[in-house]
Amino acid sequence: MKILVVDDDKDIVELLSIYIKNEGYEVEKAYNGKEALTKLNTHPDTSLMILDIMMPQMDGIEVLKEVRKDSQIPVLLLSAKTGDLDKIQGLIQGADDYVTKPFNPLEVMARVKSLLRRSQHNVTNDVPDTLEVGPLIINKDSHEVKTTDGNSIQLTALEFGILYLLSSHPNRVFSADEIFERVWQQESVVSAKTVMVHVSHLRDKIEAATNGEKVIQTVWGVGYKVEVR
């Protein structure tokens, strides 16, 4: 597997590269946003991108917007900003996870492995390959989601994971902590806001493709569910 590391701080790029190689992955490096997009175009087999937000020429958020136009590659953001709004902005634009600088490289690698597992494997194996929930047809093997009238909905790996988890357990309410632990495959750490942002983004995509159908329901103070009658 190939991982692209993007940061204008060469020391950070080199540090992460060492840890990535030690785990047996290949590394590509970029030092600004424009170079990152070029690398992704020339290396379409890239499995994951670690992306700094604050960079010259094109910042990480702008890179993310461009990437999400035609790719659902897992993206782990590196942020020197600690405010929730900055993290939420990245998640809204399609980031799958984030780490705040200064970081422990071991934590970064743990999150990288989790995202790679999420992008390759299904949340659960004891349900049919294809689910039909309301206006949606969800294919477990291809990670494709379409409306019943044939429109494709482009989801990130984590958005698909959330939708598939809820849809494969209709009418069951999952708390934010449960969703985080099952989909992110990590212990729950400040999960509520992260899950909330991903669910919100997922809802927006579903409603845009289905003329406002509300597939995911919020049970206030408890969690989320897909209701099937």
Side-chain angles (χ1 to χ4, degrees):
M1 290 185 182
K2 187 176 296 179
I3 295 174
L4 173 61
V5 183
V6 189
D7 199 307
D8 60 320
D9 187 327
K10 293 186 178 182
D11 290 338
I12 288 179
V13 173
E14 292 306 315
L15 174 65
L16 290 176
S17 296
I18 291 170
Y19 279 82
I20 291 168
K21 289 177 181 177
N22 284 343
E23 293 292 338
Y25 304 119
E26 296 180 51
V27 180
E28 288 294 330
K29 306 171 186 177
Y31 302 101
N32 60 63
K34 291 183 178 180
E35 186 180 4
L37 294 177
T38 299
K39 289 280 187 177
L40 285 176
N41 287 332
T42 55
H43 298 280
D45 58 337
T46 301
S47 299
L48 180 142
M49 178 167 59
I50 301 174
L51 178 65
D52 185 32
I53 291 180
M54 300 298 291
M55 292 186 298
Q57 298 189 38
M58 179 184 286
D59 67 27
I61 299 299
E62 291 302 315
V63 173
L64 193 53
K65 289 178 182 178
E66 289 299 314
V67 169
R68 284 293 178 251
K69 289 179 179 179
D70 56 17
S71 173
Q72 300 305 317
I73 180 176
V75 176
L76 174 63
L77 284 182
L78 301 179
S79 174
K81 300 181 177 182
T82 57
D84 287 338
L85 288 178
D86 297 306
K87 297 171 185 176
I88 289 172
Q89 182 185 12
L91 294 171
I92 287 174
Q93 295 302 330
D96 296 283
D97 203 353
Y98 62 84
V99 175
T100 302
K101 297 178 179 179
F103 54 75
N104 183 331
L106 294 176
E107 179 189 359
V108 174
M109 291 311 303
R111 292 178 182 271
V112 164
K113 291 177 184 177
S114 177
L115 290 175
L116 289 173
R117 285 196 303 268
R118 177 63 256 142
S119 67
Q120 294 177 77
H121 300 293
N122 300 305
V123 174
T124 180
N125 294 316
D126 58 357
V127 292
D129 290 342
T130 301
L131 297 174
E132 187 165 345
V133 179
L136 303 180
I137 300 172
I138 306 163
N139 189 295
K140 179 175 71 172
D141 292 330
S142 65
H143 277 216
E144 291 180 331
V145 179
K146 294 183 177 181
T147 63
T148 51
D149 55 5
N151 294 324
S152 294
I153 304 176
Q154 298 299 316
L155 302 180
T156 67
L158 289 173
E159 289 165 355
F160 182 89
I162 293 169
L163 178 61
Y164 193 80
L165 174 65
L166 298 179
S167 299
S168 59
H169 299 83
N171 301 317
R172 175 179 168 181
V173 180
F174 285 86
S175 69
D177 285 344
E178 287 179 295
I179 293 172
F180 191 90
E181 290 174 2
R182 288 196 180 213
V183 176
W184 275 255
Q185 297 181 3
Q186 300 175 24
E187 290 187 8
S188 175
V189 180
V190 294
S191 59
K193 289 181 180 178
T194 300
V195 172
M196 178 186 68
V197 170
H198 279 82
V199 169
S200 176
H201 206 200
L202 173 59
R203 278 176 169 155
D204 289 344
K205 291 181 178 181
I206 292 172
E207 290 177 14
T210 61
N211 294 319
E213 291 273 357
K214 297 187 182 299
V215 174
I216 299 175
Q217 306 293 325
T218 298
V219 180
W220 293 105
V222 183
Y224 305 94
K225 68 175 181 177
V226 166
E227 187 170 3
V228 176
R229 297 178 180 177

